[in-house]
Amino acid sequence: MRALRIAAAVEAASILILFVNLFTAHVKVITSLGGPVHGSAYLVVIAMTFASTVAGSTGVRWRAFVPGVGGMLVLHQLNRHPETLKTTAGSVPQG
């Protein structure tokens, strides 16, 4: 869960930085660094969502595909429905 939180924060922050850059100065170095950071965080969010949720939790999984805020949507849904988290035998999901 911690890695998912970090990836979701990086995804949201990087898209915000990219949009601010796009609508203001449009500095190429920010775009060339921010784009891959955002794309990587987006893919990590998707992978972590599929790895940490049970097979029947499609309601959570489709949220991961929303660019920019998908990670935050997943975290919100997992907080509302913690039973969708995969757990090992006898462990309790940690938030």
Side-chain angles (χ1 to χ4, degrees):
M1 272 301 271
R2 184 174 184 209
L4 181 58
R5 280 194 189 105
I6 292 169
V10 170
E11 178 190 19
S14 63
I15 195 74
L16 179 65
I17 290 168
L18 286 169
F19 278 136
V20 168
N21 182 50
L22 177 67
F23 294 121
T24 58
H26 200 27
V27 178
K28 277 195 174 276
V29 71
I30 293 174
T31 304
S32 63
L33 291 175
V37 168
H38 172 71
S40 298
Y42 176 65
L43 293 175
V44 168
V45 164
I46 293 170
M48 293 290 299
T49 300
F50 276 78
S52 65
T53 57
V54 294
S57 57
T58 56
V60 175
R61 289 180 172 182
W62 74 264
R63 286 167 171 79
F65 289 99
V66 179
V69 295
M72 296 297 178
L73 292 173
V74 167
L75 289 172
H76 177 72
Q77 188 69 11
L78 289 176
N79 285 334
R80 290 182 63 209
H81 301 283
E83 69 275 4
T84 58
L85 280 172
K86 282 185 185 174
T87 57
T88 57
S91 70
V92 176
Q94 295 182 357

